[in-house]
């Protein structure tokens, strides 16, 4: 059984603009899960992140006629979501939801406490990053995007992103080195 070839973002945007709501639904389905993780990492609250994601999709739908480059819908929507999340977060420097870091499940009870302490330390360390550093670090190491993909999403140069990630890693290493002597990221 052959799987149908998925439509391009450009075609789905064009169809949405002509009134085909199912096409916009396909865009929501295509990017919803991945962007939910990103929103959660920025908002540190899954419910708030879900609200932000839904609000961003609604805003994007209303602004769809202003999407100048439909083949770059993902990048365009990413900016809307990022702005929505930052606007919704009560704190000026939202923390990252450390559950997104997928730390392996502990095997012994004492490992549970250790894991919780590590998660709290990581969250505290991430709060010490500037928003651009945190965004670059989360996209690179939590979401697994390449530097090229991050550059496209954030409209930032690869060199600037590498510098942000490098500085973020230095801050995290400095903050965490007293407790854990292992380097952060690779």
């Amino acid at each position: 059984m052959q799987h149908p070839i998925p439509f391009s973002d450009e075609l789905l945007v064009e169809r949405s603009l002509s009134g085909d709501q199912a096409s916009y639904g396909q865009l929501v389905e295509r990017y919803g899960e991945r962007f939910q993780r990103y929103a959660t990492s920025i908002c540190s609250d899954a419910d708030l992140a879900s609200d932000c994601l839904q609000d961003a999709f609604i805003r994007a739908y209303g602004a769809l006629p202003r999407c100048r480059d439909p083949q770059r819908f993902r990048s365009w929507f990413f900016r809307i979501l990022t702005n929505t999340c930052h606007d919704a977060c009560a704190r000026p420097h939202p923390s990252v939801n450390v559950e997104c870091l997928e730390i392996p499940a502990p095997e012994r009870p004492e490992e549970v406490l250790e894991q919780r302490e590590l998660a709290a330390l990581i969250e505290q360390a991430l709060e010490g990053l500037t928003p651009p550093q945190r965004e670059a670090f989360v996209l690179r190491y939590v979401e697994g995007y390449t530097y090229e993909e991050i550059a496209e999403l954030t409209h930032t140069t690869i060199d600037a992103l590498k510098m942000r990630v490098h500085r973020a890693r230095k801050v995290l290493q400095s903050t965490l080195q007293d407790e854990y002597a292992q380097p952060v990221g690779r």
Side-chain angles (χ1 to χ4, degrees):
M1 178 179 195
Q2 269 188 323
H3 293 285
I5 298 172
F7 294 120
S8 68
D9 286 357
E10 183 176 23
L11 181 60
L12 291 173
V13 167
E14 288 171 7
R15 286 178 157 190
S16 298
L17 287 169
S18 66
D20 180 6
Q21 292 179 347
S23 290
Y24 192 73
Q26 288 180 15
L27 288 167
V28 171
E29 193 174 311
R30 180 175 291 170
Y31 294 114
E33 186 176 326
R34 178 169 243 187
F35 283 134
Q36 174 67 38
R37 287 192 312 267
Y38 172 74
T40 301
S41 71
I42 295 300
C43 295
S44 295
D45 178 302
D47 292 333
L48 179 59
S50 292
D51 292 345
C52 287
L53 183 62
Q54 183 175 5
D55 189 36
F57 275 123
I58 291 168
R59 287 180 186 189
Y61 186 74
L64 211 50
R66 294 189 303 272
C67 180
R68 286 185 233 130
D69 189 358
Q71 69 185 23
R72 294 175 46 97
F73 172 83
R74 178 181 77 156
S75 173
W76 178 77
F77 176 75
F78 174 80
R79 292 308 324 155
I80 293 172
L81 177 61
T82 299
N83 292 337
T84 302
C85 288
H86 287 298
D87 290 347
C89 292
R91 297 185 333 195
H93 300 288
S95 62
V96 171
N97 179 353
V98 294
E99 293 173 14
C100 294
L101 295 176
E102 297 179 12
I103 299 169
E107 294 180 12
R108 300 185 322 245
E110 57 270 13
E111 288 178 339
V112 172
L113 180 59
E114 212 172 278
Q115 191 176 63
R116 286 182 185 155
E117 289 173 0
L118 176 59
L121 283 170
I122 291 171
E123 187 169 340
Q124 182 180 8
L126 288 168
E127 288 176 4
L129 300 176
T130 66
Q133 289 171 344
R134 186 173 34 258
E135 178 181 62
F137 187 85
V138 166
L139 288 171
R140 180 75 179 117
Y141 291 111
V142 177
E143 292 299 321
Y145 283 103
T146 65
Y147 283 110
E148 291 77 14
E149 291 170 323
I150 300 169
E152 180 183 330
L153 289 170
T154 62
H155 304 291
T156 307
T157 67
I158 291 174
D159 288 340
L161 290 168
K162 286 182 178 181
M163 183 55 70
R164 288 175 187 173
V165 169
H166 173 75
R167 288 181 178 157
R169 286 177 43 199
K170 285 186 84 163
V171 169
L172 293 172
Q173 285 174 336
S174 173
T175 304
L176 298 173
Q177 78 181 9
D178 293 338
E179 197 69 35
Y180 297 94
Q182 299 174 355
V184 177
R186 284 179 248 228

